[in-house]
């Protein structure tokens, strides 16, 4: 098993990105035959009902996590919320899932979109730097 620090966590719901503010987070690659990962989020208890709805439904969700370093590309996961533990005014959310294969690097997709949008020179550079910081969801065109 390998353990990593989780710096950011987003859920991709329909056409919406739901950013979950982390107080702390950890990701464990179980390195087993099922290629399962365990993600633990420590966040405000205001998210309890939100995550509880996914336990109740058993719904699989697309998620992204930034691991170890802020400049790393978000790792895409398909996850299921497993359990929630209340700790005073905070919650610990245990999530299990698999890392999804990504055909192209995020930076290449972002640059391609910005070029399609007609950006050039300083405008392109500024939008690219902002996109790499904010990481908007991008659709991969085959």
């Amino acid at each position: 098993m390998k353990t990593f620090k989780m710096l950011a966590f987003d859920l991709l719901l329909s056409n919406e990105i739901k950013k979950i503010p982390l107080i702390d987070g950890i990701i464990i690659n179980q390195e087993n035959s099922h290629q399962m990962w365990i993600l633990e989020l420590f966040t405000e208890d205001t998210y309890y009902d939100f995550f509880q709805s996914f336990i109740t439904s058993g719904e699989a969700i697309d998620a992204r996590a930034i691991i170890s370093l802020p400049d790393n590309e978000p790792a895409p996961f398909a996850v299921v919320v497993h359990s929630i533990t209340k700790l005073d005014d905070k919650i610990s959310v245990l999530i299990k899932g698999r890392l999804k294969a990504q055909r192209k690097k995020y930076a290449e997709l972002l640059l391609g979109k910005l070029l399609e949008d007609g950006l050039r020179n300083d405008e392109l550079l500024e939008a690219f730097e902002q996109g790499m910081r904010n990481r908007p969801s991008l659709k991969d065109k085959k």
Side-chain angles (χ1 to χ4, degrees), residues 34-39 77-80 95-99:
H34 301 290
Q35 298 178 343
M36 293 299 294
W37 291 66
I38 297 172
L39 296 79
F77 290 90
V79 299
V80 174
I95 298 173
K96 295 182 179 182
R98 289 189 171 87
L99 188 63

Side-chain angles (χ1 to χ4, degrees), residues 20-132:
I20 306 299
L22 297 179
I23 296 167
D24 205 356
I26 190 170
I27 296 182
I28 301 169
N29 179 351
Q30 291 188 294
E31 296 183 322
N32 59 19
S33 61
H34 301 290
Q35 298 178 343
M36 293 299 294
W37 291 66
I38 297 172
L39 296 79
E40 185 175 14
L41 319 173
F42 188 59
T43 190
E44 299 295 330
D45 67 354
T46 54
Y47 289 92
Y48 183 89
D49 291 338
F50 174 76
F51 281 109
Q52 184 62 45
S53 69
F54 292 109
I55 291 175
T56 303
S57 73
E59 178 183 351
I61 325 158
D62 287 332
R64 301 183 306 188
I66 295 180
I67 303 169
S68 300
L69 299 171
D71 291 338
N72 284 346
E73 290 186 32
F77 290 90
V79 299
V80 174
V81 178
H82 188 264
S83 66
I84 306 168
T85 304
K86 281 194 173 198
L87 305 163
D88 294 325
D89 61 344
K90 310 286 188 278
I91 58 173
S92 171
V93 183
L94 188 65
I95 298 173
K96 295 182 179 182
R98 289 189 171 87
L99 188 63
K100 293 170 60 175
Q102 214 173 13
R103 291 179 337 122
K104 286 190 173 184
K105 301 257 184 232
Y106 183 83
E108 293 167 338
L109 290 172
L110 176 61
L111 182 59
K113 181 193 177 305
L114 296 174
L115 289 170
E116 283 179 11
D117 291 348
L119 300 179
R120 298 287 182 260
N121 303 324
D122 290 343
E123 190 178 45
L124 174 62
L125 181 58
E126 183 178 325
F128 181 77
E129 288 172 346
Q130 182 179 356
M132 290 301 291

